[in-house]
Amino acid sequence: MTTALPAIAFDNSYARELEGLYAHVQASHVPAPRLLRFNQALAAELGLDLDGFDHATLAALFAGMQVPAGATPLAQAYAGHQFGGFSPQLGDGRALLLGEVIDVLGRRRDIALKGSGCTPFSRGGDGKAAVGPVLREYLVGEAMHALGVPTTRALAAVSTGEQVQREGLLPGAVLTRVAASHVRVGTFQYFAAHGEIDKLRRLADYVIARHDPQLLGSAEPYLGLLQAVAERQASLIARWMHLGFIHGVMNTDNMTISGETIDYGPCAFMEAYDPGAVFSSIDRQGRYTYSNQPQIARWNLARLAEALLPLMGSDVQRAIDQAMGVLDEFPARYEAHWLQGARAKLGLLEAQDGDLELAQDWLALLHSQAVDFTLAWRHLAAVAAQAEGAAPQGQVLPPNALQAMFVDANALNAWLARWQARLAGEAAQPPGQRAAAMRAVSPIYIPRNALVEEALSAASDHGNLKPFEDFLAVLSQPFVERPGLDRYAQPAPPEVTANYQTFCGT
Ligand code: AMP
Ligand code: MG
């Protein structure tokens, strides 16, 4: 036990290289910081040596009350299109970048606080966060990581001992967030909108050096950056879609340049498959509906392209044509990622014509019978296992679990026959291998909305962290079915899902 602060080997390139693009800020004092959760595994990955420190020290550190040596707390400037409307001045209104570390794999990672008090970008907000939304971001973000999705991570959650005013009074908290960087589409928009082209160029050069160093010295680095971001987003959104993840607030300030998912405010996971699923209470027009996510990503990339145009040479028409080229090919780029993911989920090793249709027809089947998306994929893996093992070749033998989810089993059987015929056309695999591969991409446990709410309300309303801890442990191995966890795999009753609403995590 020690009261000294941990030594953290910060190397703060954003502070050092991008002066004028942020504001120096200190975190607010909070009355009684208490550590709710600390992510030891992530700390180890970051190379942080926090082992000998007691909870009080870590709580003070992750509440921002004690600034470790080498930290340069700052609030980043950014703008953004929110639900389609442009806000030229957003910025870190309640977040502070403490600094960057180089992790054990040599990757530069931001360590930032969220909910640590007002900044010059707070725009009348209180700069705070509440326990519920902080734990929500912790839980869902860590679940996404375990699901293999690029995401910001949660290093710690601290309650502040303070009440924050929302619809009522709620216990306050601070999240410590780790990211490949916090640069967003909106960061570029800020400097483009303010006509600060020199800063825009410095930002772009910085981002290229940090995220796309292969572009350094290339003939068209800014076009290359747009392409690289488009590629990462195409891959990311395809992953979301294959998990039934609905981000809920894909504003341009919530789209990272790194390709990590950021901001788990009103996000939700779909249960019964429905392309029109939307849960956010503020998304009244359904802009960020599940099936709109790829188009919204393209729309956001168009905003990035606009912001980058001033850097893309004096021949404006040529620059526009080049940027349009990237945007026009985005749907195909996305489709390619999606189809690759769909093949894996269907247990297909080879690419054949008709695979897209096979996948789409499966989804249409799930939609028409309102079948739980996650369990349907999981039970399909069970069918593959059975077909590989006991079933005579070619015979359709869906185990009861899959059958039971469908009202009309005939439609299911017809599709299964097609799928099994398609599988039979591939080289044979050792028994069980295909099913194992399918299970490795189709989880049994996801952050089901009702269970998330249950865990958060226990923590926020009753100070009981046990349901949160238990759920976090379940979600840390989402692909591995374990005995005794059946309730975590079950969808909520349809009437619960029908009325489920999420709220912005403010
Ligand atoms: P978000 O909806 O969390 O992505 O935030 C959108 C913008 O609102 C960002 O500029 C945030 O910094 C700002 N913001 C959100 N909540 C607060 C708050 N409680 N206090 C100050 N700024 C906030
Ligand atoms: Mg945000």
Side-chain angles (χ1 to χ4, degrees):
M1 294 250 283
T2 169
T3 50
L5 274 185
I8 297 178
F10 284 111
D11 176 44
N12 303 335
S13 64
Y14 206 91
R16 198 165 55 228
E17 295 170 33
L18 295 180
E19 196 152 337
L21 283 75
Y22 58 81
H24 288 287
V25 188
Q26 296 298 322
S28 300
H29 181 85
V30 299
R34 195 168 69 84
L35 195 62
L36 297 177
R37 185 95 197 354
F38 171 56
N39 191 339
Q40 214 121 30
L42 180 58
E45 185 181 310
L46 294 173
L48 304 182
D49 184 12
L50 301 180
D51 278 352
F53 295 91
D54 59 20
H55 279 196
T57 306
L58 295 181
L61 173 69
F62 293 124
M65 304 240 300
Q66 304 265 9
V67 180
T72 50
L74 61 86
Q76 296 179 337
Y78 57 84
H81 277 87
Q82 301 186 302
F83 292 92
F86 187 59
S87 301
Q89 172 109 4
L90 293 170
D92 285 333
R94 54 164 170 173
L96 280 187
L97 174 62
L98 289 180
E100 302 144 34
V101 296
I102 307 299
D103 75 10
V104 293
L105 295 176
R107 300 170 299 187
R108 182 174 291 277
R109 315 274 291 268
D110 279 4
I111 301 180
L113 305 178
K114 183 171 175 180
S116 51
C118 280
T119 78
F121 303 104
S122 295
R123 297 174 298 142
D126 61 1
K128 310 278 164 108
V131 164
V134 161
L135 292 183
R136 183 184 177 82
E137 176 152 349
Y138 197 120
L139 187 72
V140 183
E142 289 306 292
M144 291 287 268
H145 172 69
L147 288 163
V149 182
T151 177
T152 64
R153 303 283 309 275
L155 179 61
V158 171
S159 63
T160 59
E162 188 173 64
Q163 301 282 298
V164 297
Q165 181 73 50
R166 294 296 180 259
E167 267 158 36
L169 284 177
L170 295 172
V174 177
L175 177 79
T176 304
R177 180 158 78 182
V178 172
S181 85
H182 282 81
V183 180
R184 310 133 196 272
V185 169
T187 320
F188 287 89
Q189 289 183 287
Y190 182 94
F191 299 101
H194 289 80
E196 298 186 271
I197 305 308
D198 173 54
K199 288 180 182 172
L200 181 69
R201 188 182 310 277
R202 280 165 58 209
L203 175 67
D205 291 343
Y206 171 85
V207 164
I208 287 171
R210 182 161 174 179
H211 293 298
D212 296 290
Q214 76 284 0
L215 296 173
L216 286 170
S218 78
E220 311 271 11
Y222 308 114
L223 178 68
L225 176 61
L226 179 63
Q227 249 152 3
V229 177
E231 171 57 23
R232 287 191 281 268
Q233 288 295 333
S235 164
L236 178 68
I237 310 291
R239 285 169 186 270
W240 290 0
M241 299 301 275
H242 283 309
L243 293 166
F245 176 76
I246 304 160
H247 182 282
V249 62
M250 286 177 72
N251 295 332
T252 57
D253 55 306
N254 291 338
M255 185 189 261
T256 60
I257 297 303
S258 69
E260 287 181 342
T261 313
I262 194 169
D263 270 10
Y264 294 94
C267 65
F269 279 80
M270 188 156 65
E271 300 212 304
Y273 181 72
D274 175 9
V278 59
F279 294 101
S280 168
S281 59
I282 53 170
D283 191 1
R284 297 207 177 81
Q285 315 281 321
R287 179 179 172 88
Y288 299 137
T289 298
Y290 171 78
S291 61
N292 280 357
Q293 295 185 123
Q295 286 100 291
I296 291 292
R298 183 188 181 279
W299 193 90
N300 289 349
L301 289 166
R303 307 290 78 76
L304 176 62
E306 283 166 4
L308 289 172
L309 275 184
L311 307 180
M312 287 173 58
S314 53
D315 185 341
V316 176
Q317 192 53 50
R318 179 171 173 273
I320 291 174
D321 291 345
Q322 286 179 323
M324 281 309 295
V326 177
L327 299 173
D328 287 345
E329 75 189 20
F330 182 78
R333 215 183 256 277
Y334 164 75
E335 281 289 334
H337 282 288
W338 189 88
L339 183 55
Q340 189 185 20
R343 284 201 177 98
K345 287 177 84 84
L346 288 169
L348 307 177
L349 286 183
E350 300 157 12
Q352 285 184 20
D353 288 345
D355 291 346
L356 181 63
E357 233 179 3
L358 187 68
Q360 286 171 338
D361 289 349
W362 165 248
L363 294 178
L365 191 61
L366 302 188
H367 185 207
S368 68
Q369 303 200 35
V371 175
D372 185 82
F373 181 72
T374 304
L375 283 184
W377 282 111
R378 193 72 186 185
H379 291 329
L380 190 65
V383 178
Q386 196 169 1
E388 285 176 318
Q393 261 222 312
Q395 191 176 333
V396 179
L397 273 181
N400 292 338
L402 186 61
Q403 287 281 28
M405 290 200 298
F406 287 78
V407 184
D408 170 13
N410 289 333
L412 170 65
N413 287 338
W415 183 87
L416 284 175
R418 267 173 72 198
W419 172 62
Q420 294 195 327
R422 168 66 179 80
L423 294 184
E426 293 203 345
Q429 293 185 51
Q433 191 162 305
R434 190 185 307 276
M438 291 172 70
R439 288 195 189 103
V441 291
S442 286
I444 178 75
Y445 309 116
I446 56 161
R448 290 189 181 270
N449 306 319
L451 297 172
V452 172
E453 298 305 330
E454 189 185 296
L456 300 190
S457 89
S460 183
D461 303 343
H462 308 290
N464 174 14
L465 283 156
K466 176 104 178 22
F468 170 81
E469 290 291 343
D470 289 348
F471 202 12
L472 193 61
V474 171
L475 293 169
S476 69
Q477 281 185 286
F479 300 106
V480 184
E481 192 164 354
R482 281 104 79 202
L485 300 182
D486 195 48
R487 103 184 193 87
Y488 293 100
Q490 295 310 317
E495 62 277 11
V496 173
T497 301
N499 295 317
Y500 184 66
Q501 279 208 321
T502 57
F503 299 90
C504 228
T506 49

